[in-house]
Amino acid sequence: MKWTVSLDEAHTRLDQWLAHQVGCSRAEARRLIDDGAVRVSGRPAKKGTLLLAGAEIELARLPPTPEARRPTPEPALPLEVLFTDDALVALAKPAGAATHPLRPGERGTLAGALAARFPECAGASDDPREGGVAHRLDIDTSGVVLAARTRQAWQALRVAFAAGRIEKEYLALVTGAPPNEGEVDAPLAHAGHRRKVTVVEKWLNHSEDWSNHSPRPRPALTRYRVLARSTPGRPEVALVRAFTSTGRMHQVRAHLAHAGFPLVGDTLYGGPPAEPPGHLLHAARIRFPHPVTGAPTTIDAPLPEARRRLFEAWLGAPPPV
């Protein structure tokens, strides 16, 4: 498909223009651009490009339909249900599995297993890819994930997340010798790296106006408490319980690395490699207002046995959880 940018459309961002032109979300337009499906006047496009009048836009393919973006039901995948009622399902995500697909047809995700057992979840979320899942955990992170069974419940959970009314607790194995307790109150943003976030020191020190920065640094607070330390003669590591209510991407990983204590296995943020590969982080507990009744609700996800053995191998003693 081809279009020519009119004079009235000049100086519009490419992702915004494309979303309007093909009737998709800006996120989907950005995915098309990132995938190389869009060219501007014969050249590969960038999502932040400001269009000039007369520029020719080529689109190699249309975005997938909402139905095509839904997770593929996979009844053969294991699914551990921690809690369920008429409004929601709480699941234990295993380490190594994506929470939901990023591309049509992607398999092996938690949302795919969910769609097979709770098909009503597939229509609960705004983004069909999410299949009712209300938040994400990184692939290497294990632990509790909430999913909605109705659109009303999904919207209520999303509002609670955005308002900071959902509290999460993590178990993290970190390098070094952190103090017995502490906190990191530092904004996070993408800074030239799609897969990584960073603390924005200039924003912290108010030495630069970041009001027009895209994306703007987002406030984030992580508190932590040491539960155990490695035995003498072993590499210096500690098991900490981390507490968050802001839920930014990679928040616990980035904050603990910024404090000088990156997670074991988190090579992206400066941690030592682990075997098997992957950072050692577990979402152990979530507290939230029930999406229908508003009642305070707590869901615990026990530490998986395989992960418990890894923690014990690094600590030299069973983890006290």
Side-chain angles (χ1 to χ4, degrees):
M1 302 179 69
K2 291 185 179 182
W3 300 270
T4 300
V5 178
S6 69
L7 186 62
D8 289 342
E9 296 169 328
H11 307 298
T12 303
R13 275 178 59 110
L14 173 60
D15 54 352
Q16 180 181 352
W17 180 91
L18 185 64
H20 175 75
Q21 200 72 22
V22 302
C24 68
S25 68
R26 288 184 67 175
E28 187 60 47
R30 288 192 288 269
R31 280 192 288 273
L32 288 168
I33 296 166
D34 289 341
D35 288 347
V38 184
R39 299 179 75 86
V40 177
S41 297
R43 297 182 178 182
K46 296 182 179 180
K47 57 193 173 190
T49 297
L50 295 178
L51 298 175
L52 300 177
E56 291 191 350
I57 312 299
E58 294 181 67
L59 179 63
R61 58 177 173 81
L62 288 171
T65 64
E67 188 62 34
R69 290 199 297 266
R70 287 189 176 185
T72 301
E74 296 186 75
L77 288 180
L79 187 71
E80 183 179 350
V81 177
L82 300 170
F83 170 85
T84 187
D85 63 14
D86 291 342
L88 59 86
V89 185
L91 308 167
K93 188 187 89 65
T99 304
H100 64 70
L102 297 179
R103 297 288 184 270
E106 182 180 344
R107 302 181 72 85
T109 69
L110 183 71
L114 176 68
R117 277 73 158 196
F118 298 89
E120 67 277 10
C121 292
S125 48
D126 287 347
D127 187 337
R129 298 176 308 159
E130 295 171 349
V133 174
H135 60 118
R136 280 192 289 178
L137 294 179
D138 299 334
I139 287 179
D140 291 336
T141 303
S142 57
V144 60
V145 171
L146 299 180
R149 302 181 72 174
T150 69
R151 178 61 63 93
Q152 177 189 11
W154 187 87
Q155 291 172 338
L157 287 172
R158 294 304 304 161
V159 168
F161 272 108
R165 296 200 298 269
I166 295 185
E167 300 175 352
K168 290 181 283 185
E169 296 182 18
Y170 294 83
L171 296 173
L173 193 69
V174 304
T175 60
N180 288 337
E181 59 183 32
E183 70 174 41
V184 182
D185 186 359
L188 297 169
H190 291 278
H193 196 305
R194 288 177 58 195
R195 295 179 53 244
K196 187 177 181 180
V197 297
T198 186
V199 170
V200 183
E201 294 281 6
K202 291 182 179 180
W203 195 87
L204 265 179
N205 299 331
H206 305 288
S207 59
E208 185 173 333
D209 180 10
W210 286 83
S211 59
N212 293 320
H213 184 271
S214 180
R216 191 172 186 269
R218 303 179 71 189
L221 171 65
T222 302
R223 296 177 291 112
Y224 64 87
R225 182 176 71 244
V226 173
L227 301 179
R229 301 181 188 274
S230 53
T231 57
R234 291 183 174 271
E236 196 169 40
V237 301
L239 177 64
V240 305
R241 185 176 288 271
F243 307 84
T244 73
S245 60
T246 41
R248 310 303 184 204
M249 173 182 168
H250 294 185
Q251 177 176 325
V252 173
R253 299 166 60 188
H255 270 176
L256 292 177
H258 178 73
F261 315 108
L263 271 65
V264 171
D266 196 357
T267 55
L268 182 63
Y269 288 96
E275 187 58 44
H279 60 255
L280 297 185
L281 183 65
H282 176 71
R285 176 174 293 168
I286 191 166
R287 296 187 182 92
F288 58 98
H290 190 277
V292 175
T293 67
T297 306
T298 300
I299 307 292
D300 290 307
L303 190 64
E305 185 57 34
R307 187 138 288 197
R308 179 182 294 276
R309 290 195 299 268
L310 286 173
F311 283 17
E312 182 173 351
W314 281 87
L315 291 168
V321 291

